[in-house]
Amino acid sequence: MARSKVSARDALLKVQRQREELAAEETKLREGVATELGQVLLECGAEILEPAQLRQLIRQSMAIGIDESLKRLASTPKPA
């Protein structure tokens, strides 16, 4: 007995269902990453920063690159 060919509609529905499942998995993983990063911030004492300051710090660091940011911070004279 020959199998019937999968219709384009059925294939499309399958892809849409897979996309929804992947989106849900991505959301779950992003929440896990956020929890891990939050723990790192607490370990570093960063809870004293205002969220806007932290956002700005991270955005600027990402714009110039992490290695360059670390290099610039290391070469900054320490206040007395």
Short mmCIF file of all heavy atoms in Angstrom, two decimals, residues 18-71:
data_model
loop_
_atom_site.label_atom_id
_atom_site.label_comp_id
_atom_site.label_asym_id
_atom_site.label_seq_id
_atom_site.Cartn_x
_atom_site.Cartn_y
_atom_site.Cartn_z
N GLN A 18 6.45 23.60 14.98
CA GLN A 18 7.84 23.51 15.42
C GLN A 18 8.38 24.88 15.80
O GLN A 18 9.11 25.01 16.78
CB GLN A 18 8.70 22.90 14.31
CG GLN A 18 8.45 21.43 14.08
CD GLN A 18 9.16 20.90 12.84
OE1 GLN A 18 9.44 21.64 11.90
NE2 GLN A 18 9.43 19.61 12.85
N ARG A 19 8.01 25.90 15.04
CA ARG A 19 8.46 27.27 15.34
C ARG A 19 7.94 27.71 16.70
O ARG A 19 8.66 28.31 17.49
CB ARG A 19 7.99 28.22 14.24
CG ARG A 19 8.51 29.64 14.42
CD ARG A 19 8.08 30.58 13.31
NE ARG A 19 8.63 30.15 12.03
CZ ARG A 19 7.88 29.91 10.94
NH1 ARG A 19 6.58 30.07 10.97
NH2 ARG A 19 8.44 29.54 9.82
N GLU A 20 6.67 27.41 16.99
CA GLU A 20 6.09 27.76 18.29
C GLU A 20 6.80 27.02 19.42
O GLU A 20 7.07 27.61 20.48
CB GLU A 20 4.60 27.44 18.29
CG GLU A 20 3.77 28.34 17.42
CD GLU A 20 2.34 27.85 17.23
OE1 GLU A 20 1.98 26.80 17.80
OE2 GLU A 20 1.59 28.54 16.52
N GLU A 21 7.12 25.76 19.20
CA GLU A 21 7.83 24.98 20.22
C GLU A 21 9.24 25.55 20.45
O GLU A 21 9.68 25.66 21.60
CB GLU A 21 7.92 23.51 19.80
CG GLU A 21 6.59 22.80 19.84
CD GLU A 21 6.61 21.43 19.18
OE1 GLU A 21 7.67 21.01 18.66
OE2 GLU A 21 5.56 20.76 19.19
N LEU A 22 9.91 25.93 19.37
CA LEU A 22 11.24 26.53 19.51
C LEU A 22 11.17 27.88 20.22
O LEU A 22 12.04 28.20 21.04
CB LEU A 22 11.91 26.69 18.14
CG LEU A 22 12.44 25.42 17.50
CD1 LEU A 22 12.91 25.69 16.07
CD2 LEU A 22 13.58 24.84 18.34
N ALA A 23 10.16 28.67 19.92
CA ALA A 23 10.00 29.97 20.58
C ALA A 23 9.79 29.78 22.08
O ALA A 23 10.36 30.51 22.90
CB ALA A 23 8.85 30.75 19.96
N ALA A 24 8.99 28.78 22.45
CA ALA A 24 8.76 28.50 23.86
C ALA A 24 10.05 28.03 24.53
O ALA A 24 10.36 28.45 25.66
CB ALA A 24 7.67 27.45 24.02
N GLU A 25 10.81 27.20 23.85
CA GLU A 25 12.09 26.72 24.40
C GLU A 25 13.07 27.88 24.54
O GLU A 25 13.79 27.99 25.53
CB GLU A 25 12.67 25.63 23.50
CG GLU A 25 13.99 25.08 23.96
CD GLU A 25 13.92 24.29 25.26
OE1 GLU A 25 12.81 23.95 25.70
OE2 GLU A 25 14.99 24.01 25.82
N GLU A 26 13.10 28.78 23.55
CA GLU A 26 13.99 29.95 23.63
C GLU A 26 13.62 30.82 24.82
O GLU A 26 14.50 31.29 25.56
CB GLU A 26 13.92 30.77 22.34
CG GLU A 26 14.84 31.98 22.39
CD GLU A 26 14.78 32.84 21.14
OE1 GLU A 26 13.91 32.60 20.27
OE2 GLU A 26 15.60 33.76 21.04
N THR A 27 12.35 31.04 25.04
CA THR A 27 11.90 31.84 26.18
C THR A 27 12.36 31.22 27.49
O THR A 27 12.88 31.91 28.37
CB THR A 27 10.36 31.98 26.16
OG1 THR A 27 9.98 32.67 24.96
CG2 THR A 27 9.86 32.74 27.36
N LYS A 28 12.20 29.92 27.60
CA LYS A 28 12.62 29.21 28.81
C LYS A 28 14.13 29.34 29.02
O LYS A 28 14.59 29.61 30.13
CB LYS A 28 12.22 27.74 28.68
CG LYS A 28 12.57 26.88 29.86
CD LYS A 28 12.12 25.45 29.62
CE LYS A 28 12.65 24.53 30.70
NZ LYS A 28 12.33 23.13 30.44
N LEU A 29 14.90 29.18 27.96
CA LEU A 29 16.37 29.28 28.07
C LEU A 29 16.81 30.71 28.39
O LEU A 29 17.73 30.92 29.18
CB LEU A 29 17.02 28.79 26.78
CG LEU A 29 16.90 27.29 26.53
CD1 LEU A 29 17.38 26.94 25.13
CD2 LEU A 29 17.66 26.50 27.58
N ARG A 30 16.14 31.70 27.80
CA ARG A 30 16.49 33.09 28.09
C ARG A 30 16.23 33.42 29.55
O ARG A 30 16.99 34.15 30.18
CB ARG A 30 15.70 34.04 27.19
CG ARG A 30 16.21 34.06 25.74
CD ARG A 30 15.24 34.67 24.77
NE ARG A 30 15.29 36.03 24.35
CZ ARG A 30 16.35 36.80 24.12
NH1 ARG A 30 17.53 36.36 24.37
NH2 ARG A 30 16.23 38.02 23.65
N GLU A 31 15.15 32.89 30.10
CA GLU A 31 14.86 33.10 31.52
C GLU A 31 15.94 32.45 32.38
O GLU A 31 16.35 33.01 33.40
CB GLU A 31 13.48 32.55 31.86
CG GLU A 31 12.36 33.39 31.27
CD GLU A 31 10.98 32.74 31.42
OE1 GLU A 31 10.88 31.62 31.95
OE2 GLU A 31 10.01 33.39 30.99
N GLY A 32 16.42 31.28 31.98
CA GLY A 32 17.51 30.62 32.70
C GLY A 32 18.78 31.44 32.66
O GLY A 32 19.49 31.58 33.67
N VAL A 33 19.09 31.99 31.49
CA VAL A 33 20.28 32.84 31.35
C VAL A 33 20.15 34.08 32.22
O VAL A 33 21.09 34.49 32.90
CB VAL A 33 20.51 33.23 29.87
CG1 VAL A 33 21.54 34.33 29.74
CG2 VAL A 33 20.91 32.01 29.06
N ALA A 34 18.96 34.68 32.24
CA ALA A 34 18.73 35.87 33.06
C ALA A 34 18.95 35.55 34.54
O ALA A 34 19.56 36.35 35.27
CB ALA A 34 17.32 36.41 32.83
N THR A 35 18.51 34.40 34.97
CA THR A 35 18.71 33.99 36.36
C THR A 35 20.20 33.83 36.66
O THR A 35 20.70 34.30 37.69
CB THR A 35 17.96 32.67 36.65
OG1 THR A 35 16.57 32.90 36.43
CG2 THR A 35 18.19 32.19 38.06
N GLU A 36 20.92 33.19 35.75
CA GLU A 36 22.36 33.00 35.94
C GLU A 36 23.10 34.34 35.98
O GLU A 36 23.96 34.55 36.84
CB GLU A 36 22.93 32.13 34.82
CG GLU A 36 22.48 30.69 34.86
CD GLU A 36 22.91 29.89 33.65
OE1 GLU A 36 23.67 30.40 32.81
OE2 GLU A 36 22.46 28.73 33.54
N LEU A 37 22.75 35.24 35.07
CA LEU A 37 23.40 36.55 35.06
C LEU A 37 23.04 37.36 36.29
O LEU A 37 23.88 38.08 36.84
CB LEU A 37 23.03 37.31 33.79
CG LEU A 37 23.62 36.75 32.49
CD1 LEU A 37 23.04 37.50 31.29
CD2 LEU A 37 25.13 36.83 32.50
N GLY A 38 21.79 37.25 36.74
CA GLY A 38 21.39 37.93 37.96
C GLY A 38 22.21 37.47 39.15
O GLY A 38 22.61 38.27 40.00
N GLN A 39 22.47 36.17 39.22
CA GLN A 39 23.30 35.63 40.30
C GLN A 39 24.71 36.20 40.24
O GLN A 39 25.28 36.56 41.27
CB GLN A 39 23.33 34.09 40.22
CG GLN A 39 24.02 33.45 41.39
CD GLN A 39 23.33 33.74 42.72
OE1 GLN A 39 22.11 33.71 42.80
NE2 GLN A 39 24.09 34.00 43.74
N VAL A 40 25.26 36.31 39.04
CA VAL A 40 26.60 36.89 38.88
C VAL A 40 26.60 38.34 39.37
O VAL A 40 27.53 38.77 40.07
CB VAL A 40 27.06 36.81 37.41
CG1 VAL A 40 28.33 37.64 37.17
CG2 VAL A 40 27.29 35.36 37.00
N LEU A 41 25.57 39.10 39.01
CA LEU A 41 25.49 40.49 39.46
C LEU A 41 25.46 40.59 40.98
O LEU A 41 26.12 41.45 41.57
CB LEU A 41 24.27 41.17 38.85
CG LEU A 41 24.33 41.41 37.34
CD1 LEU A 41 22.98 41.91 36.84
CD2 LEU A 41 25.43 42.39 36.99
N LEU A 42 24.70 39.72 41.61
CA LEU A 42 24.64 39.72 43.07
C LEU A 42 25.99 39.36 43.68
O LEU A 42 26.40 39.96 44.68
CB LEU A 42 23.56 38.76 43.56
CG LEU A 42 22.12 39.16 43.24
CD1 LEU A 42 21.17 38.04 43.64
CD2 LEU A 42 21.76 40.46 43.92
N GLU A 43 26.68 38.41 43.09
CA GLU A 43 28.00 38.01 43.59
C GLU A 43 29.01 39.15 43.47
O GLU A 43 29.95 39.22 44.27
CB GLU A 43 28.50 36.78 42.83
CG GLU A 43 27.73 35.51 43.14
CD GLU A 43 28.08 34.36 42.20
OE1 GLU A 43 28.99 34.51 41.36
OE2 GLU A 43 27.42 33.31 42.31
N CYS A 44 28.82 40.02 42.49
CA CYS A 44 29.75 41.14 42.27
C CYS A 44 29.35 42.39 43.03
O CYS A 44 30.06 43.39 42.98
CB CYS A 44 29.80 41.48 40.78
SG CYS A 44 30.46 40.18 39.75
N GLY A 45 28.22 42.36 43.71
CA GLY A 45 27.76 43.55 44.43
C GLY A 45 27.10 44.57 43.53
O GLY A 45 26.94 45.73 43.92
N ALA A 46 26.69 44.17 42.34
CA ALA A 46 26.12 45.12 41.38
C ALA A 46 24.68 45.50 41.69
O ALA A 46 24.10 46.33 41.00
CB ALA A 46 26.21 44.54 39.97
N GLU A 47 24.10 44.94 42.75
CA GLU A 47 22.72 45.29 43.07
C GLU A 47 22.58 46.76 43.49
O GLU A 47 21.48 47.29 43.53
CB GLU A 47 22.14 44.37 44.15
CG GLU A 47 22.76 44.52 45.51
CD GLU A 47 24.01 43.66 45.72
OE1 GLU A 47 24.49 43.04 44.77
OE2 GLU A 47 24.48 43.63 46.86
N ILE A 48 23.69 47.44 43.77
CA ILE A 48 23.62 48.85 44.14
C ILE A 48 23.47 49.76 42.93
O ILE A 48 23.13 50.92 43.07
CB ILE A 48 24.86 49.28 44.96
CG1 ILE A 48 26.12 49.15 44.14
CG2 ILE A 48 24.95 48.47 46.24
CD1 ILE A 48 27.35 49.77 44.77
N LEU A 49 23.70 49.21 41.73
CA LEU A 49 23.57 50.01 40.51
C LEU A 49 22.10 50.20 40.16
O LEU A 49 21.28 49.32 40.37
CB LEU A 49 24.25 49.31 39.33
CG LEU A 49 25.76 49.18 39.38
CD1 LEU A 49 26.24 48.32 38.22
CD2 LEU A 49 26.41 50.55 39.33
N GLU A 50 21.81 51.36 39.63
CA GLU A 50 20.48 51.60 39.08
C GLU A 50 20.36 50.78 37.79
O GLU A 50 21.34 50.67 37.04
CB GLU A 50 20.29 53.08 38.77
CG GLU A 50 20.22 53.97 39.98
CD GLU A 50 18.95 53.73 40.79
OE1 GLU A 50 17.91 53.37 40.20
OE2 GLU A 50 19.01 53.90 42.02
N PRO A 51 19.20 50.23 37.50
CA PRO A 51 19.04 49.45 36.27
C PRO A 51 19.44 50.23 35.01
O PRO A 51 20.06 49.67 34.10
CB PRO A 51 17.55 49.11 36.25
CG PRO A 51 17.18 49.07 37.70
CD PRO A 51 18.00 50.16 38.34
N ALA A 52 19.13 51.51 34.96
CA ALA A 52 19.49 52.32 33.79
C ALA A 52 21.01 52.42 33.65
O ALA A 52 21.54 52.39 32.53
CB ALA A 52 18.88 53.70 33.89
N GLN A 53 21.72 52.54 34.78
CA GLN A 53 23.18 52.61 34.74
C GLN A 53 23.77 51.29 34.24
O GLN A 53 24.68 51.29 33.42
CB GLN A 53 23.75 52.90 36.12
CG GLN A 53 23.47 54.28 36.66
CD GLN A 53 23.97 54.41 38.09
OE1 GLN A 53 23.73 53.54 38.91
NE2 GLN A 53 24.66 55.50 38.37
N LEU A 54 23.25 50.21 34.75
CA LEU A 54 23.73 48.89 34.34
C LEU A 54 23.46 48.66 32.86
O LEU A 54 24.33 48.18 32.13
CB LEU A 54 23.08 47.80 35.19
CG LEU A 54 23.52 46.38 34.89
CD1 LEU A 54 25.03 46.21 35.09
CD2 LEU A 54 22.76 45.40 35.76
N ARG A 55 22.29 49.02 32.41
CA ARG A 55 21.92 48.89 30.99
C ARG A 55 22.89 49.69 30.12
O ARG A 55 23.40 49.20 29.12
CB ARG A 55 20.49 49.35 30.78
CG ARG A 55 19.96 49.11 29.38
CD ARG A 55 18.50 49.54 29.25
NE ARG A 55 17.64 48.79 30.17
CZ ARG A 55 16.99 49.31 31.20
NH1 ARG A 55 17.09 50.59 31.49
NH2 ARG A 55 16.23 48.56 31.98
N GLN A 56 23.17 50.92 30.53
CA GLN A 56 24.08 51.79 29.77
C GLN A 56 25.49 51.20 29.76
O GLN A 56 26.15 51.18 28.72
CB GLN A 56 24.09 53.19 30.37
CG GLN A 56 24.96 54.17 29.62
CD GLN A 56 24.95 55.56 30.27
OE1 GLN A 56 24.48 55.73 31.39
NE2 GLN A 56 25.45 56.53 29.56
N LEU A 57 25.96 50.74 30.90
CA LEU A 57 27.28 50.14 31.00
C LEU A 57 27.42 48.94 30.07
O LEU A 57 28.40 48.82 29.33
CB LEU A 57 27.56 49.73 32.45
CG LEU A 57 28.87 49.00 32.73
CD1 LEU A 57 30.05 49.91 32.45
CD2 LEU A 57 28.89 48.50 34.16
N ILE A 58 26.43 48.08 30.08
CA ILE A 58 26.49 46.88 29.25
C ILE A 58 26.39 47.23 27.78
O ILE A 58 27.14 46.70 26.95
CB ILE A 58 25.41 45.87 29.68
CG1 ILE A 58 25.76 45.33 31.07
CG2 ILE A 58 25.29 44.73 28.67
CD1 ILE A 58 24.70 44.47 31.70
N ARG A 59 25.49 48.12 27.43
CA ARG A 59 25.36 48.51 26.01
C ARG A 59 26.64 49.12 25.48
O ARG A 59 27.08 48.80 24.37
CB ARG A 59 24.20 49.48 25.83
CG ARG A 59 22.86 48.79 25.87
CD ARG A 59 21.74 49.74 25.55
NE ARG A 59 20.48 49.01 25.51
CZ ARG A 59 19.30 49.53 25.74
NH1 ARG A 59 19.19 50.82 26.02
NH2 ARG A 59 18.21 48.80 25.69
N GLN A 60 27.26 50.00 26.26
CA GLN A 60 28.49 50.63 25.80
C GLN A 60 29.63 49.61 25.73
O GLN A 60 30.43 49.63 24.80
CB GLN A 60 28.86 51.80 26.70
CG GLN A 60 27.93 52.98 26.49
CD GLN A 60 28.27 54.17 27.38
OE1 GLN A 60 29.14 54.10 28.23
NE2 GLN A 60 27.57 55.27 27.17
N SER A 61 29.67 48.70 26.68
CA SER A 61 30.70 47.65 26.65
C SER A 61 30.53 46.75 25.44
O SER A 61 31.51 46.36 24.80
CB SER A 61 30.64 46.81 27.93
OG SER A 61 30.97 47.59 29.05
N MET A 62 29.29 46.42 25.12
CA MET A 62 29.03 45.57 23.96
C MET A 62 29.36 46.31 22.66
O MET A 62 29.82 45.71 21.70
CB MET A 62 27.58 45.10 23.95
CG MET A 62 27.21 44.21 25.13
SD MET A 62 28.23 42.74 25.31
CE MET A 62 27.67 41.81 23.91
N ALA A 63 29.15 47.62 22.64
CA ALA A 63 29.41 48.40 21.43
C ALA A 63 30.90 48.44 21.10
O ALA A 63 31.28 48.34 19.93
CB ALA A 63 28.87 49.82 21.59
N ILE A 64 31.74 48.57 22.12
CA ILE A 64 33.19 48.63 21.85
C ILE A 64 33.86 47.28 22.00
O ILE A 64 35.02 47.13 21.64
CB ILE A 64 33.89 49.68 22.73
CG1 ILE A 64 33.82 49.33 24.21
CG2 ILE A 64 33.37 51.06 22.45
CD1 ILE A 64 34.65 50.23 25.10
N GLY A 65 33.13 46.31 22.52
CA GLY A 65 33.68 44.96 22.69
C GLY A 65 34.14 44.76 24.13
O GLY A 65 34.65 45.67 24.78
N ILE A 66 33.97 43.54 24.59
CA ILE A 66 34.30 43.22 25.98
C ILE A 66 35.80 43.37 26.24
O ILE A 66 36.20 43.98 27.23
CB ILE A 66 33.83 41.79 26.33
CG1 ILE A 66 32.31 41.69 26.21
CG2 ILE A 66 34.31 41.37 27.71
CD1 ILE A 66 31.54 42.57 27.16
N ASP A 67 36.62 42.84 25.35
CA ASP A 67 38.07 42.93 25.56
C ASP A 67 38.55 44.38 25.63
O ASP A 67 39.34 44.74 26.50
CB ASP A 67 38.83 42.17 24.46
CG ASP A 67 38.63 40.67 24.55
OD1 ASP A 67 38.33 40.17 25.67
OD2 ASP A 67 38.76 39.99 23.52
N GLU A 68 38.05 45.21 24.72
CA GLU A 68 38.42 46.62 24.72
C GLU A 68 37.92 47.31 25.99
O GLU A 68 38.61 48.12 26.59
CB GLU A 68 37.89 47.33 23.47
CG GLU A 68 38.22 48.81 23.39
CD GLU A 68 39.72 49.09 23.30
OE1 GLU A 68 40.49 48.22 22.89
OE2 GLU A 68 40.10 50.22 23.66
N SER A 69 36.71 46.98 26.42
CA SER A 69 36.16 47.57 27.65
C SER A 69 37.02 47.21 28.85
O SER A 69 37.35 48.08 29.67
CB SER A 69 34.73 47.06 27.89
OG SER A 69 33.88 47.46 26.86
N LEU A 70 37.39 45.95 28.96
CA LEU A 70 38.23 45.52 30.07
C LEU A 70 39.60 46.19 30.03
O LEU A 70 40.13 46.60 31.07
CB LEU A 70 38.37 44.00 30.07
CG LEU A 70 37.09 43.22 30.38
CD1 LEU A 70 37.31 41.74 30.16
CD2 LEU A 70 36.61 43.50 31.79
N LYS A 71 40.14 46.33 28.84
CA LYS A 71 41.44 46.99 28.69
C LYS A 71 41.36 48.45 29.14
O LYS A 71 42.21 48.93 29.88
CB LYS A 71 41.91 46.90 27.24
CG LYS A 71 43.32 47.41 27.01
CD LYS A 71 43.82 47.08 25.62
CE LYS A 71 43.24 48.07 24.63
NZ LYS A 71 43.80 47.91 23.27
#
